[in-house]
Structure formats: structure tokens, C-alpha cells
Amino acid sequence: MTTLSPPSVAGRPAAPPPKAARSRRSWVGWGFLAPFMIVFVVVFLAPIAYSIYLSLFREQMVGGTSFVGLENYQRAFEDPKFWEALGRVTLFLLIQVPIMLGIALLVALAIDSGRLYGKSFFRIAIFMPYAVPAVVATLMWGFIYGNRFGLVGNINDAFGISLPNPLSPDLVLASIGNIVTWEFVGYNMLIFYAALRVVPHSLYEAAEIDGAGQWRVITAIKLPAIRGALAIATIFSIIGSFQLFNEPSILQNLAPNAITTYFTPNLFTYSLSFSGQQHNYAATVAILMGLLTMVIAYVVQLRGMRKEA
């Protein structure tokens, strides 16, 4: 009769760590996370909370600061200047963003096709405007647009013609759109090109065996593969459009009759806060624009994820 030996110590399952050790490890994790959380609260959450706090008060000449609840929000919804500024950036978004992303996509597809000579040069040349600060780019284009001292004025004098003034009230929004497109085509092109580079080459080989042409490869393989990058670029562009400030603010000195203090919501907020000393109402407009931008960006993200799935 044989007897079974007890299992070896090495074969036994490891005992769970004591509760004190588990608690210590959890606190170690929070310790690593603490620097980021502190910066996140101080730099991101605290300003938002303070802006919401300001939007609930009103500073008056007589009586000082008083709590008004949601009256500032009601005032914003009834303010024609706010709606005019919002409508202007919405029009800017609907026209400029598709044009910019379309050009960036075409350039990325051309560089990725392998049929473009000097693609490294074109990639750097198209991306280079993004490295130019927005202030410098706007000043440069403002000088080009000038009909008295800039390129437009020189062409008028040289040929004896009268080109439309790019800084006129009817064309200034299109002129700003041209500046923004020139600045960010390269940035979006790089996003699309990076997404195209990770598409498996086996898909291209299979399509070539099946006899698919270039247009079929683009529509059936490349565009579906970079749908996530398209959604990200669209979200960034939407956020940038609602935050439009640098270009109209700098061009305002060159075209004071075309660019008002409420040309865009951000310019309107800036004017209210620093020129009109209406800090509470400026915080209200900023909160409303932040909520609107967040909702639209979230909807675009949901649609992009749904199509990608």
C-alpha cells in the first residue's frame, strides 16, 4: 500500500498578500498619479469652476456684486451680438473646415500614392506653414491683403485695375478662412498621412490582384482605414473654429470697419472682459461656447466611432 506525500511548498498556490500590503500598493499608485491630478485640478478644473461662479453674479455700479442666478445666461440668449458672432463662426466652420480637410486629404493621398516625385520636399513644404506662429502668419497675410500698402495695392497700381478689397466687410471672413487654411492644411495632412502609413500593404496587394484601380483602392481601402483620423481632424477643426480669435483680433487694426468687437464669440468675450469690464457676462459667454463646442465635438466623435465600428 502506497501513501501519498503531501504537496510540496513550491506547488502550493501563493497566498494572497495581506490587506495592509494591498492598501500600501494602492496608495503608491495614487502617489504616482498625484502630480498630474494636482496640475489638472489647478489648471483645468479650477478655472472652469471659477468661471461658472462668476457667471452667477453681476457687478453693478450701485450695490456692488450681487447674485443673479441664471440671468446672465438669459441675457446671452437674448443678445443679438452673441447670436451674430455664433452664426459667423458657424458659417466659417461649415465652409472652411471641409475645404481645409479636403485639401489636406488630397495632399496626403498624393504623397502616399508613391507616384509623386519629391514627396519628402512636398511633405515638409506643406507642413511648414503650421510652424509659423499664428500672429506672424496673420500679419504676413494682412500685409498681402492691403489695398494701399500690400500686394493687392501693388497689383492695382501696376496694372491700373481695382481688385476687390480682401479686408472689406463682405470678404474679410473668407480672407480669414484663407489664412487658417494656409496654416493648418499641413497639420491635418500629417494626421492623414500617418494614418495611411499604417494601412497593411497586403490589402493593396489583394486589391491589385483583383484588378482594382486607384480610385477603387482609395474609396474601398484607404478612406475606410483612416476614418478615425478623419474624425479626430474634424473634431480638432470644429474646436479651432469656435475658438477663432487670433486672426480677427490682429486684422481688426487693418479692417476696423469690417471686424467688430463681437466678430467671433471669443473676440466678444475678450472685449467684454478687458474693454467693457463685464467679467461676469464674459464668463457666461465663455461657458456657453464651451458647452456648445463640447456637445458638437461629442456628436461628431460618436458618429465617427459608429461608422468605424
Side-chain angles (χ1 to χ4, degrees):
M1 182 176 180
T2 59
T3 59
L4 298 176
S5 59
S8 61
V9 177
R12 294 179 181 176
K19 185 176 180 180
R22 293 198 303 269
S23 176
R24 187 164 52 250
R25 282 204 299 267
S26 65
W27 280 110
V28 169
W30 281 109
F32 280 109
L33 202 61
F36 166 77
M37 294 300 298
I38 293 173
V39 174
F40 181 75
V41 170
V42 173
V43 176
F44 185 77
L45 295 183
I48 293 178
Y50 184 60
S51 297
I52 296 175
Y53 169 79
L54 286 178
S55 68
L56 301 177
F57 291 83
R58 180 181 300 164
E59 186 175 353
Q60 301 173 343
M61 295 291 293
V62 179
T65 303
S66 59
F67 179 79
V68 295
L70 300 179
E71 288 186 13
N72 287 327
Y73 293 91
Q74 181 180 359
R75 175 186 172 187
F77 283 120
E78 297 174 353
D79 192 346
K81 294 182 179 179
F82 171 72
W83 288 109
E84 183 177 342
L86 179 59
R88 190 175 288 111
V89 294
T90 303
L91 177 63
F92 180 87
L93 185 155
L94 294 176
I95 297 177
Q96 186 270 336
V97 169
I99 293 175
M100 177 182 63
L101 295 183
I103 296 174
L105 181 60
L106 289 176
V107 174
L109 291 172
I111 295 176
D112 184 69
S113 66
R115 300 184 179 186
L116 183 66
Y117 293 101
K119 65 178 183 180
S120 298
F121 168 77
F122 282 106
R123 185 170 64 245
I124 295 176
I126 295 173
F127 180 75
M128 190 64 69
Y130 179 70
V132 179
V135 175
V136 177
T138 306
L139 289 174
M140 180 187 70
W141 278 99
F143 179 80
I144 294 174
Y145 290 151
N147 61 348
R148 294 183 180 179
F149 52 83
L151 180 62
V152 174
N154 293 336
I155 293 176
N156 290 340
D157 295 337
F159 296 97
I161 59 177
S162 180
L163 294 176
N165 183 10
L167 298 178
S168 64
D170 296 332
L171 298 178
V172 67
L173 189 62
S175 300
I176 294 174
N178 178 64
I179 298 174
V180 175
T181 302
W182 181 82
E183 288 178 313
F184 290 97
V185 160
Y187 171 79
N188 292 287
M189 177 271 298
L190 202 62
I191 294 177
F192 298 150
Y193 180 69
L196 288 170
R197 296 301 296 170
V198 299
V199 178
H201 286 275
S202 58
L203 297 177
Y204 299 147
E205 295 173 357
E208 185 178 357
I209 293 174
D210 292 339
Q214 286 296 319
W215 178 251
R216 183 61 178 170
V217 170
I218 291 174
T219 56
I221 298 178
K222 292 187 176 183
L223 292 183
I226 66 171
R227 187 174 290 124
L230 287 169
I232 291 175
T234 302
I235 291 173
F236 287 168
S237 300
I238 290 173
I239 295 173
S241 296
F242 282 122
Q243 291 180 345
L244 188 64
F245 176 78
N246 287 331
E247 291 78 10
S249 176
I250 296 171
L251 291 178
Q252 191 175 25
N253 294 327
L254 301 176
N257 296 326
I259 300 179
T260 60
T261 56
Y262 53 92
F263 190 79
T264 67
N266 270 10
L267 191 59
F268 184 38
T269 303
Y270 178 85
S271 302
L272 287 172
S273 181
F274 292 95
S275 299
Q277 300 298 318
Q278 301 183 50
H279 308 292
N280 304 102
Y281 187 45
T284 303
V285 175
I287 292 295
L288 289 176
M289 289 304 304
L291 291 174
L292 178 63
T293 304
M294 181 180 65
V295 169
I296 295 178
Y298 182 69
V299 170
V300 173
Q301 181 184 7
L302 283 182
R303 289 182 58 85
M305 293 174 58
R306 186 180 304 150
K307 290 182 179 179
E308 192 174 2

